[in-house]
Amino acid sequence: MGKVFRILVSAAVILSFTGCSDNDEPGGESTYIPVDGVSDIVHGNMVYVMDFANDDEKLVEVNTQGEVDVEIPDDSPLAFTRIKEDDKNFIRVSNRLPVDRNIVMVPVKVAPKGCPSEARNIIIVAKNMQAAERGNAGRASGNAMLSVYSESLGKGTVCFNEVGNTTESVILYDRLSELGEKYVSVNTTANVEKMFEINEATSSSMMESYGVNVGVNFKKAAKANFLLQEKWIDKYSVSGSFTFGIGETFKESHDYEYYMNIYTVRKAEVKILMDKFRKSNNNPLPDSLFLALVNPDYIRQIVTPKDATAFNAEEFLNRWGTDVITQAQFGGRCLYIYGRKENVYEHSLAVDASAEMTGSRPSGSGEGWVFIYTSKNSPYIKGSFDVSYKNSSYNSASKAVSYYDCVGGNMNDNDAAKWIDGFNDSSQSDKWSVIGYRLSSDVPSKDENDPDWSLTQIEDIGLNVVNIYDTMLGDRKTPKDSAAIKRVTGVLTHLSNERVKYMEKHSRASVAKSPIVVADFIMRDGKNGHKKGEPSSFIDKDVRTGEYRIYYPLMANKFSPYDVGYAVETTQNDYYPAILDNVDHYWYYSLDHSSECDGIVDIKFVDDTPDYYYRRGDDALPGGCSGQKNYVCLKFGDSETPDSEKIKAIGLYKRDDKSGTFDPNRIFASTGGSELRRAHTQREYDKWHEWWNSGASYVKTQWNEGGFSPKLKIWPCYSTKPLDESVDIRDVCHPLKWGE
């Protein structure tokens, strides 16, 4: 193309147009007066894309009321004449000669009469030039390459919204597909199933993993920098995370944990060979055919602003998107996410996720997703088990959320196996969807400074246009052309920077994990004879907010006189005389994150409830005995209570009337996260002892107080110090069940 171009321009025809005459005869010298007073003679344009499928002529507006000189190749198949409409001057472009190709590119130099220093070159890209093509521009609609691929390839997309979302066509795929595999690589032999899982993740880390999986790594995003037409890429890390169109269901707070499963069936991979259009050391002459493939509206919007300040980047990004889909995987994808508030559950997150999937999406007749996950050896999802615990109260107390989305294929009756098998039916290929942008051949760079990005940034399309324009003109560039190149490059630099700001604007900032605190503490009577099954966790409403909470029994540690490793029960002989042991006392606690509750600031075992305290549970009398009728009385915090004042752990303490100093070895049971584990190591004991011994205190109010002499008198103790950083509350040591 370049060689032919040089031959064509070696002999040129120069025409003079006057803004007032009806013919092409020169009308004398004139002074260049821009109509808008700002732009150059062609209003800043570089490329005009003209489709002659349905019209025989097109117009190019010139920015003057005076005469213009037009220089064109002498064997140009296009004819140029002057026309004036509504007090505006135009160059009329028409098809004058038959050609043997469908796309013709003609360089045209336009200058105000007598002002060669104001000359500008434009590239006229004429499409549908062959007679057989004209009137049949839509004939490719039945092409196989235009089926599901045309719905996505070449279109703009917002990188942080739903995978496969599209805006407008930036690259016109119908024209591209006509050019065949020289410009589009299509692999329809892929038939790969893949399962990706992540467990116990925060919302931000989960969605970051999702982005990496589909080909947009926001921690290694691409940020372009321009110096004229030279470009280099820096890694850019977006500070927040995105939901990919899933919605606001998932909280950014690190107080929540999530399980995610992405199951994909990859059937095809399609890629526009963008390297052919990019200028580089390996490709100094990018293919000029790209100018015929880019949406003319896109080109017009980036080349016409007088400078970067006149370019509305946000409006542009809203219309075209942040990136262009130039490659994609097609097939089907099932995305399942389950989340809950982090706490001291008896069931793991993955077990909850399994129960939720089993209960909410049972397979009508075939094999459901739980079967598929387990058959693929998921280390998290479990098969058949009792899911009755997973009721509405449990979901409310755990703040459970779930998300399920299946795209591509034909899902019926939650029959996952049938859905997967359906992709082997070629007649259903029209049901394939975009499932990701990263191709199987793409290997992420191990260099932390290299971007990990499978989309084409929206400004890259403009840079390709500028570089091809520059390459086609070569030495024929005028000073005004160079100024235009510099101006448009400035617009693209501005767009690149604003694209990053646009992403940041729509990202969600992570919320740091708040401290674990004791939300409630209760003593409840149980049936006498605790080895018959009691106690167990239960769900009840919060005394202040009415929200559901899960309560767990305290575990007796090695300093307890009875039932070490099981639930502590305080009506046995060392606590009360045997004659009074006709009811069982069980102790329960509920934990929460400080951001989710007001917490507790004090605890007493007293009969008369002090002001601003609440009685929690049953009284201390085992039944019928005389004595002080004490209760657990709690003083709750409020929305203004600082975390430093909220109680992080409560223990049952053996009363000590002698030493007067706090001794952790007198704690025989304590709330989750502060418990002394069963079969603990020396290191675990030392850490437990050190934590309780620094800042904890007891409260001199006795639980089992009255007209008898218990051997073990119980005080409450507590600490407002944050739990040890090494403590994972998901691994709390719950009491054994009888028989275990």
Side-chain angles (χ1 to χ4, degrees), residues 97-391:
L97 296 175
V99 293
D100 59 357
R101 56 194 184 279
N102 195 32
I103 297 175
V104 174
M105 299 187 191
V106 180
V108 179
K109 181 185 285 188
V110 182
K113 179 68 174 179
C115 301
S117 63
E118 298 289 339
R120 277 292 320 281
N121 280 285
I122 56 175
I123 307 295
I124 302 295
V125 180
K127 301 194 298 184
N128 289 310
M129 291 292 290
Q130 290 176 294
E133 301 291 328
R134 301 176 67 185
N136 293 291
R139 80 197 191 295
S141 59
N143 191 312
M145 291 180 67
L146 283 176
S147 56
V148 294
Y149 311 141
S150 63
E151 297 175 6
S152 304
L153 267 291
K155 291 189 176 180
T157 187
V158 178
C159 60
F160 49 78
N161 282 345
E162 182 181 2
V163 172
N165 76 88
T166 58
T167 56
E168 296 190 36
S169 290
V170 181
I171 299 175
L172 304 175
Y173 188 75
D174 57 343
R175 178 61 62 184
L176 181 67
S177 66
E178 293 177 356
L179 303 177
E181 295 187 2
K182 180 181 178 182
Y183 295 95
V184 182
S185 171
V186 181
N187 174 14
T188 57
T189 62
N191 189 23
V192 180
E193 294 178 40
K194 182 179 179 182
M195 184 173 74
F196 172 81
E197 292 177 289
I198 186 171
N199 191 43
E200 296 181 349
T202 63
S203 173
S204 56
S205 63
M206 173 181 68
M207 298 318 296
E208 286 165 15
S209 295
Y210 180 70
V212 171
N213 185 270
V214 300
V216 282
N217 184 350
F218 288 99
K219 294 307 173 188
K220 292 180 68 178
K223 181 180 181 181
N225 292 280
F226 300 103
L227 179 62
L228 293 181
Q229 295 130 268
E230 297 297 322
K231 173 187 176 181
W232 67 95
I233 294 291
D234 288 337
K235 183 192 77 171
Y236 176 77
S237 180
V238 180
S239 61
S241 64
F242 303 94
T243 64
F244 290 94
I246 292 173
E248 302 303 317
T249 302
F250 307 111
K251 295 180 179 291
E252 281 300 301
S253 170
H254 286 201
D255 294 346
Y256 288 74
E257 58 180 353
Y258 296 92
Y259 165 84
M260 177 176 67
N261 188 300
I262 308 172
Y263 199 98
T264 57
V265 180
R266 186 172 75 245
K267 296 298 295 183
E269 294 185 335
V270 184
K271 179 178 183 178
I272 300 174
L273 303 179
M274 293 298 294
D275 286 345
K276 291 181 177 291
F277 309 124
R278 294 189 181 106
K279 186 175 182 179
S280 65
N281 291 334
N282 296 326
N283 187 36
L285 297 174
D287 196 322
S288 60
L289 195 59
F290 188 68
L291 300 181
L293 305 178
V294 181
N295 191 318
D297 286 346
Y298 172 94
I299 296 176
R300 190 177 303 111
Q301 261 193 279
I302 63 168
V303 302
T304 54
K306 64 182 180 65
D307 55 35
T309 62
F311 179 73
N312 190 326
E314 183 167 7
E315 183 179 280
F316 184 90
L317 292 166
N318 285 337
R319 176 182 179 183
W320 298 101
T322 60
D323 297 80
V324 181
I325 302 174
T326 52
Q327 62 179 49
Q329 292 182 343
F330 291 84
R333 182 203 68 232
C334 178
L335 173 63
Y336 173 55
I337 299 175
Y338 178 83
R340 67 184 185 182
K341 182 168 56 178
E342 186 186 60
N343 215 313
V344 291
Y345 303 101
E346 293 174 301
H347 300 285
S348 70
L349 173 65
V351 168
D352 270 13
S354 304
E356 176 68 22
M357 179 63 87
T358 299
S360 64
R361 298 201 167 271
S363 178
S365 57
E367 297 167 340
W369 279 114
V370 171
F371 173 84
I372 297 298
Y373 294 163
T374 54
S375 67
K376 293 294 182 180
N377 300 315
S378 167
Y380 309 114
I381 296 298
K382 307 301 178 185
S384 300
F385 63 97
D386 184 7
V387 300
S388 60
Y389 78 93
K390 191 76 166 51
N391 53 34

Side-chain angles (χ1 to χ4, degrees), residues 425-445:
D425 184 353
S426 59
S427 67
Q428 295 189 29
S429 61
D430 61 326
K431 295 183 173 64
W432 297 351
S433 295
V434 172
I435 59 175
Y437 311 120
R438 185 193 302 282
L439 304 187
S440 56
S441 58
D442 294 341
V443 179
S445 172

Side-chain angles (χ1 to χ4, degrees), residues 21-148:
S21 174
D22 289 334
N23 56 53
D24 294 334
E25 295 300 322
E29 296 294 328
S30 63
T31 302
Y32 174 49
I33 304 175
V35 174
D36 61 13
V38 177
S39 301
D40 54 36
I41 188 65
V42 289
H43 292 286
N45 284 291
M46 292 180 173
V47 179
Y48 286 87
V49 181
M50 300 178 176
D51 192 338
F52 286 90
N54 300 310
D55 298 304
D56 291 327
E57 59 184 34
K58 301 290 182 180
L59 299 179
V60 174
E61 183 180 355
V62 290
N63 187 21
T64 181
Q65 291 289 354
E67 298 177 339
V68 293
D69 292 332
V70 177
E71 181 180 337
I72 60 174
D74 58 354
D75 58 352
S76 166
L78 301 176
F80 297 83
T81 55
R82 184 266 307 158
I83 187 173
K84 188 170 186 177
E85 293 182 357
D86 299 327
D87 293 327
K88 293 182 179 180
N89 273 351
F90 296 90
I91 299 173
R92 181 168 57 196
V93 184
S94 57
N95 187 6
R96 72 170 185 173
L97 296 175
V99 293
D100 59 357
R101 56 194 184 279
N102 195 32
I103 297 175
V104 174
M105 299 187 191
V106 180
V108 179
K109 181 185 285 188
V110 182
K113 179 68 174 179
C115 301
S117 63
E118 298 289 339
R120 277 292 320 281
N121 280 285
I122 56 175
I123 307 295
I124 302 295
V125 180
K127 301 194 298 184
N128 289 310
M129 291 292 290
Q130 290 176 294
E133 301 291 328
R134 301 176 67 185
N136 293 291
R139 80 197 191 295
S141 59
N143 191 312
M145 291 180 67
L146 283 176
S147 56
V148 294

